Amino acid sequence: MTALDDTTVTAPPPLRRNRDFLLLWTGNWLQFFGSRMSSVCYPLLALQISGGSAEAVGLAATAAVLPQAVVQLPAGVLVDRWDRRAVMRWCAVGRILALGAVGVALTLGALGMELLLALIAVEVSLAIISSLAERVAVRTVVPGGQLPAALSQNEARGRIAGLLGGPAGTVLFTWVRWSPFLAATLGALVAAVNLRFIRADLRAGTREPGRALHRDLADALRWLLGQRALRAMLPVVTVSTALLQVVMQGLVVILVKEQGLPEATLGLVLGISGCGGLLGALGARWFMARLPLSVLLIGGLTLWAALMNAMAWARGPVQLGVLFALMNIVGAVFGVATAVYQVTVTPQELQGRVAALSGLVVALGTTAGAFCAGKLLEAYRGLLSLLVAAGLMAVTAAVAALIPAVRRARIPDAARPAAPPATPPDT
């Protein structure tokens, strides 16, 4: 018997047999699917309540976006201080009450704009807090070597919910106005029940009692600024996400306004592109096992620039849908890779705050990008706007390639998926 025989290491079970991960994943998938259904119905509900006011639709959209800026930072501190299981459970209970209140008030004819906007803000805020807590919990219930697969499955979960949740929500809303909110309530209920049966210890580490919130945030910001790769990648990802808004809004302008196609055509394009995002999420682990993070990020931005340039010259919904699907494949791959990198290099006690800080920066960039994209498309139409955005994306890729910390960025070996071994030649 050799020393190696005495120290055999038992491999962790695959994710499909990881009970805690499956409970967390399925519960939050149903909850996320419910969020997709309810979010697509909020503007429709605002339009109905207001008697067809476009301003009311804008207010509903604002109520859904505003928590991204207001709630992120305190949510990050909360997640790092409290038991993540309790945080997710109480968020699920809160969402059950908020979504149930929408359905009940709607049934009783008592739902006004003020109440709707308040309930939207509450429900979205609780979803943000729960999402941060789940992201931290994944690292606890999944071994480091399985993190890429776990986060890839989470990304795929979001893509599937995006593909199916919107259409399902609109169909249910057309059938019975309160039905999508009931379905979302049931999803949150399942998530709350699943959390009860997770065995892993999801409590946060010890902390200094009575510590001010701003001191906790300052600790996370100080750590983040001390990480050269993360500090460099965050603005690169933020700028690229902002430029992506030109594509999102440009599809509407090109298809409906400039090419005169029916509005339903946009659904076809988004359906094709959504399939691309799902493929990218499922294939992210394969790419991560073969390419370093720097290649995935810089190469992904370069491909985005080329595809945006091609979209400017594309004609017809199928061509635009296929090109946008390719963009979604690329985005899902380097999105999962950067998420794995952030989760693995961030200390466990800072996970929530670092994720919140990063999410806030990207959200602010997305908001600014959406505003500037509208101005750009108004001034220069679809073709020229896409060409401008493609040029700026190419510049972003070049800048990223010039930053040494980005070029040297590597996912830690403990979290890097192993490439399949080469087959030995026959002898």
Side-chain angles (χ1 to χ4, degrees):
M1 180 179 292
T2 65
L4 182 61
D5 296 327
D6 293 332
T7 58
T8 301
V9 178
T10 304
L15 289 179
R16 65 179 181 275
R17 290 168 51 196
N18 185 326
R19 179 177 179 274
D20 287 347
F21 176 73
L22 291 177
L23 287 169
L24 188 65
W25 192 93
T26 53
N28 280 285
W29 186 88
L30 290 171
Q31 193 165 217
F32 193 69
F33 183 76
S35 281
R36 286 294 191 179
M37 286 195 294
S38 60
S39 63
V40 78
C41 294
Y42 286 140
L44 299 174
L45 198 51
L47 199 64
Q48 175 188 327
I49 292 172
S50 64
S53 169
E55 182 181 359
V57 174
L59 288 173
T62 302
V65 171
L66 191 60
Q68 296 284 347
V70 176
V71 177
Q72 287 267 10
L73 295 183
V77 176
L78 174 67
V79 166
D80 283 339
R81 286 183 175 185
W82 291 2
D83 183 343
R84 284 85 186 228
R85 186 203 314 270
V87 170
M88 289 186 285
R89 183 187 300 149
W90 284 113
C91 285
V93 171
R95 294 186 71 242
I96 290 170
L97 296 176
L99 290 163
V102 173
V104 171
L106 185 59
T107 303
L108 298 177
L111 186 61
M113 277 303 299
E114 294 80 5
L115 178 59
L116 175 63
L117 295 178
L119 291 173
I120 291 173
V122 169
E123 194 261 324
V124 173
S125 297
L126 292 172
I128 292 171
I129 298 171
S130 179
S131 178
L132 281 172
E134 186 210 6
R135 182 167 179 168
V136 178
V138 167
R139 184 175 175 179
T140 302
V141 302
V142 172
Q146 294 180 342
L147 269 178
L151 294 182
S152 294
Q153 290 189 27
N154 282 358
E155 179 75 12
R157 175 188 67 188
R159 302 282 179 169
I160 294 171
L163 272 174
L164 304 179
T170 53
V171 168
L172 288 175
F173 187 81
T174 304
W175 176 49
V176 179
R177 293 288 189 255
W178 49 261
S179 58
F181 304 101
L182 173 62
T185 301
L186 293 176
L189 177 61
V190 172
V193 172
N194 278 12
L195 288 166
R196 174 68 179 79
F197 297 100
I198 293 178
R199 296 168 179 165
D201 185 1
L202 301 181
R203 289 174 294 182
T206 57
R207 63 180 181 87
E208 180 183 335
R211 201 163 191 261
L213 183 146
H214 72 272
R215 291 180 61 189
D216 278 351
L217 287 175
D219 288 344
L221 181 60
R222 193 179 304 113
W223 180 88
L224 184 59
L225 292 176
Q227 302 298 308
R228 292 183 179 180
L230 277 179
R231 186 179 65 203
M233 285 191 290
L234 184 57
V236 169
V237 172
T238 301
V239 171
S240 63
T241 305
L243 291 172
L244 189 60
Q245 302 308 304
V246 179
V247 178
M248 299 292 295
Q249 296 184 31
L251 287 173
V252 179
V253 172
I254 292 173
L255 290 170
V256 179
K257 184 177 179 181
E258 297 181 3
Q259 297 186 10
L261 296 172
E263 295 177 354
T265 307
L266 184 62
L268 171 63
V269 173
L270 295 179
I272 296 172
S273 64
C275 292
L278 178 59
L279 289 175
L282 295 174
R285 186 168 177 266
W286 187 90
F287 286 99
M288 290 172 60
R290 291 159 176 81
L291 297 173
L293 176 61
S294 56
V295 173
L296 293 176
L297 179 58
I298 298 169
L301 295 177
T302 305
L303 286 173
W304 264 9
L307 290 168
M308 290 168 72
N309 179 74
M311 289 182 73
W313 304 102
R315 290 294 176 266
V318 175
Q319 290 183 20
L320 286 169
V322 170
L323 290 170
F324 198 27
L326 293 174
M327 287 191 67
N328 275 341
I329 290 174
V330 173
V333 170
F334 80 67
V336 170
T338 52
V340 170
Y341 179 81
Q342 179 182 307
V343 169
T344 51
V345 301
T346 303
Q348 182 70 5
E349 66 274 12
L350 295 176
Q351 287 283 340
R353 283 165 284 173
V354 170
L357 284 168
S358 303
L360 177 61
V361 172
V362 174
L364 292 175
T366 302
T367 303
F371 177 80
C372 294
K375 297 292 185 181
L376 186 65
L377 288 162
E378 183 68 26
Y380 298 109
R381 298 172 62 86
L383 187 149
L384 186 55
S385 297
L386 283 173
L387 291 176
V388 170
L392 292 175
M393 188 70 77
V395 171
T396 304
V399 170
L402 293 174
I403 302 175
V406 174
R407 293 200 307 270
R408 292 194 295 264
R410 297 291 186 274
I411 296 173
D413 291 338
R416 189 176 179 84
T423 303
D426 296 333
T427 57

